[in-house]
Amino acid sequence: MKFSRIAPEFDALDRQILELLQQNCKQPLAAIGEKIGLSAPSVVERIHKLEEAGVITEYVAVLDAAKLGKNVAAFIGVCTEQPRATGSLERRVAQVEDVLECHHVTGAFTLMLKVKTQSTASLENVIQTIRSLEGVTRTETNVVLSTYAEHQKITLHHLQQSDSRPVRRSGGSRNRRAAK
């Protein structure tokens, strides 16, 4: 794995580690190593490099919002007065309870928010809170009726392969060395 200031280059083992961590980041590192042909210390070293490069930013539990009483999902488009104040507004919006995502977007809105809340009444409170923020001129809310797909996993097949081709280690090579 080579990391430049522009974009990191990943080899096949890095991609496999990232895929496995996205499936279950609590699995033992030795189990990841077994699946990809590396020792646990080698997996730890690669994960550390991915963390240092900012590729892995955090480890979280993905929760079922509906089972926790957050049954109403909505997208809120936010229009603002001054584009210069967008950064400040983004930081304030990100602190509003039940706002899961805040994106600066093109089109009719300046910001697009993803919200999950308990009820339409609590959604109304979130909307009022956002509308009361300085710089917000208008909001438009779309309530989600049902969700077919909601993924957290990032596909990795598009990543550049670095020139170095890692060699898969097998127990056989160690045994041959020990026999000499």
Side-chain angles (χ1 to χ4, degrees):
M1 152 179 24
K2 289 190 239 176
F3 292 106
S4 68
R5 289 179 176 226
I6 299 170
E9 291 182 17
F10 300 90
D11 63 23
L13 294 174
D14 296 328
R15 284 195 302 276
Q16 289 175 316
I17 289 169
L18 291 170
E19 289 280 355
L20 290 166
L21 286 174
Q22 286 188 102
Q23 289 172 18
N24 177 7
C25 69
K26 286 187 70 174
Q27 63 187 300
L29 299 179
I32 292 174
E34 282 179 30
K35 292 174 185 173
I36 65 172
L38 288 179
S39 66
S42 294
V43 171
V44 168
E45 182 180 332
R46 282 177 175 264
I47 289 173
H48 180 70
K49 286 180 182 177
L50 291 164
E51 291 168 344
E52 288 292 313
V55 174
I56 298 173
T57 59
E58 63 185 322
Y59 298 90
V60 299
V62 178
L63 307 178
D64 184 324
K67 289 182 180 174
L68 296 169
K70 304 278 184 162
N71 296 311
V72 177
F75 292 92
I76 304 172
V78 179
C79 295
T80 62
E81 285 176 355
Q82 300 175 0
R84 289 184 302 229
T86 301
S88 169
L89 183 59
E90 287 170 328
R91 287 186 291 281
R92 287 181 281 148
V93 166
Q95 294 175 2
V96 174
E97 188 175 332
D98 292 334
V99 172
L100 301 178
E101 299 175 14
C102 175
H103 305 276
H104 187 184
V105 297
T106 62
F109 305 108
T110 307
L111 302 176
M112 183 60 67
L113 313 179
K114 179 179 177 182
V115 173
K116 287 197 178 180
T117 189
Q118 296 88 342
S119 64
T120 55
S122 59
L123 175 60
E124 189 172 9
N125 289 334
V126 170
I127 294 166
Q128 281 307 115
T129 300
I130 292 165
R131 285 181 178 167
S132 71
L133 295 174
E134 186 179 336
V136 173
T137 58
R138 183 174 82 82
T139 65
E140 184 176 309
T141 303
N142 294 296
V143 176
V144 175
L145 298 177
S146 64
T147 301
Y148 175 73
E150 187 172 47
H151 303 287
Q152 299 294 320
K153 187 177 175 188
I154 305 294
T155 58
L156 302 174
H157 64 272
H158 67 286
L159 293 176
Q160 286 183 319
Q161 175 91 17
S162 66
D163 290 337
S164 62
R165 296 190 196 325
V167 178
R168 258 198 157 160
R169 297 185 180 158
S170 66
S173 64
R174 275 188 241 145
N175 293 339
R176 273 185 247 133
R177 270 189 246 151
K180 288 184 180 179

